[in-house]
Amino acid sequence: MKNYAFNTMLLLMGLSQAAFAEPSPELVYNLKGTIVKIHTVTSTGGQGSGSGFVAAENLVATNCHVLSNAVGVNIAARGETYTPVGIRADWKHDVCILRFEYLTLKPATFSDNENLTYETSTFSVGFPGGAAKPLTTIGKIKALYAMDDSYVIRTSASFQMGASGSPLFDDQGKIIGMNTFKSPGTNGYFYNVPAKWIKAAMLLPEADKITKTASPFWDAPLEKRPYWMQVVLPMQAAKWQDLLAVASDWKSQAPNDPEATYYLALAQQNLGELQHAKTNFQKVLTANPHHTSSILALAKMARAQDNQSEFKDFSKMLSALDHEALESLDLPGQ
């Protein structure tokens, strides 16, 4: 229990207390001046909408899938409408940059910090459901998935159609990502592409029209999607042997990835391989003391084994990170 006692001490000293911060109304108000609503028209006369934000002077970032079927595009912000004159597109990563002339909107600021931490506060501002005015959603970083040269960010804040392209801010109001897609199912996960991909797309060659050259990585056939996407459906369906197979493949390809170890442990736990599961959850927690899902799993195992000392330590860790996870320990059947 030495590692857990140390982790508990760090958490209770307040190293994660920023996770509970909410943005001030003044900060949100100022950031709304960087947010735009995307309007599209398709070749059949249909209309679509999405969100975007001013990433630099005369440049607006959004998701490529917002634009993929469009023959006409404009943006609206604060009563004004603007038409782009060029596009820079990274279709694989679902990041598109629209260029305008004489755009009078203020750019948002990107965070310089690429070392993000689980359970820290985030918020986004966009147009979920095609809302008339930009709305704010608040959440926390729940997972970081290694991909290419960065990390896809999963947050606890849900978003709807129309919010694709919304900026994801840290608690200082700086860009760390962009709302992009969710997993299938009623208890879906919500993913954001990282700021690093957005900044890279701003440097791509420009075209004068929208020409789709690839599908986004998240829309590939299931077997070609990243492992962190492949694990979701068997987990939701409680198909633990299928989850074990995917997680084992993931673990063999990325032996040092804590998320691969977590899903392997989750499958083992539900297949009754409790000692293997506990060992792997412990490995996750050693690598990432803020991994709430592993802490919750270990707390449940400690309670089932009537290990009051471990249960108390894990409960304290949850209290410092995620009160909802802590409360779930008291739910019937947990």
Side-chain angles (χ1 to χ4, degrees):
M1 287 298 298
K2 183 178 180 181
N3 286 336
Y4 304 131
F6 179 68
N7 289 336
T8 303
M9 179 182 70
L10 291 181
L11 294 173
L12 296 179
M13 283 172 62
L15 294 185
S16 65
Q17 291 307 304
F20 299 99
E22 292 189 6
S24 69
E26 294 80 11
L27 177 60
V28 173
Y29 176 80
N30 290 332
L31 290 172
K32 285 183 177 180
T34 71
I35 312 302
V36 304
K37 190 172 187 178
I38 311 286
H39 296 278
T40 62
V41 178
T42 68
S43 59
T44 59
Q47 297 186 2
S49 67
S51 302
F53 66 95
V54 185
E57 184 178 3
N58 290 323
L59 298 180
V60 167
T62 189
N63 291 130
C64 291
H65 75 260
V66 172
L67 312 173
S68 60
N69 297 314
V71 294
V73 178
N74 63 57
I75 66 169
R78 296 194 167 182
E80 299 290 336
T81 301
Y82 305 86
T83 301
V85 295
I87 181 173
R88 304 166 191 179
D90 177 357
W91 288 95
K92 175 189 174 184
H93 292 132
D94 205 1
V95 180
C96 276
I97 308 295
L98 299 171
R99 185 174 67 83
F100 298 81
E101 291 182 344
Y102 314 118
L103 190 63
T104 59
L105 303 175
K106 179 182 178 181
T109 302
F110 283 91
S111 172
D112 294 327
N113 180 23
E114 294 184 359
N115 297 315
L116 303 176
T117 305
Y118 286 45
E119 298 301 334
T120 53
S121 293
T122 64
F123 66 99
S124 61
V125 184
F127 296 90
K133 295 182 179 180
L135 303 176
T136 304
T137 55
I138 299 172
K140 297 179 183 178
I141 295 175
K142 305 303 292 187
L144 298 167
Y145 301 111
M147 182 174 175
D148 295 343
D149 59 350
S150 191
Y151 292 88
V152 172
I153 306 164
R154 176 165 67 86
T155 69
S156 59
S158 63
F159 50 82
Q160 307 171 26
M161 289 183 64
S164 293
S166 301
L168 182 69
F169 297 104
D170 64 16
D171 57 8
Q172 301 299 310
K174 295 185 177 181
I175 301 291
I176 59 172
M178 180 165 64
N179 292 179
T180 300
F181 67 103
K182 69 177 290 290
S183 65
T186 55
N187 297 312
Y189 284 170
F190 297 87
Y191 303 95
N192 303 261
V193 295
K196 188 172 184 177
W197 293 355
I198 303 169
K199 291 188 282 188
M202 292 164 63
L203 303 177
L204 292 173
E206 184 172 295
D208 60 2
K209 62 180 180 179
I210 298 170
T211 304
K212 185 176 180 179
T213 58
S215 295
F217 69 89
W218 52 265
D219 198 32
L222 181 60
E223 68 277 6
K224 294 184 178 180
R225 295 176 189 175
Y227 285 115
W228 46 266
M229 293 187 66
Q230 294 185 40
V231 296
V232 176
L233 288 178
M235 179 189 66
Q236 290 178 329
K239 295 183 177 180
W240 304 117
Q241 286 290 354
D242 291 349
L243 179 62
L244 181 67
V246 176
S248 297
D249 287 345
W250 185 3
K251 180 73 172 174
S252 69
Q253 294 296 316
N256 297 320
D257 190 326
E259 287 296 332
T261 305
Y262 166 72
Y263 284 100
L264 178 62
L266 183 64
Q268 291 168 333
Q269 179 188 26
N270 285 279
L271 290 170
E273 301 174 16
L274 299 184
Q275 189 54 52
H276 290 304
K278 184 174 182 179
T279 298
N280 281 318
F281 283 133
Q282 290 170 342
K283 288 180 180 178
V284 176
L285 195 54
T286 298
N288 180 2
H290 291 163
H291 200 282
T292 304
S293 296
S294 290
I295 300 171
L296 180 61
L298 286 166
K300 291 179 179 180
M301 293 176 72
R303 185 173 64 182
Q305 296 168 356
D306 198 27
N307 188 328
Q308 295 300 317
S309 177
E310 286 192 4
F311 180 75
K312 182 178 179 180
D313 282 343
F314 293 131
S315 296
K316 287 181 179 178
M317 295 169 73
L318 288 174
S319 178
L321 288 170
D322 188 337
H323 284 284
E324 289 185 2
L326 179 65
E327 291 171 0
S328 74
L329 287 173
D330 297 324
L331 293 176
Q334 293 293 319

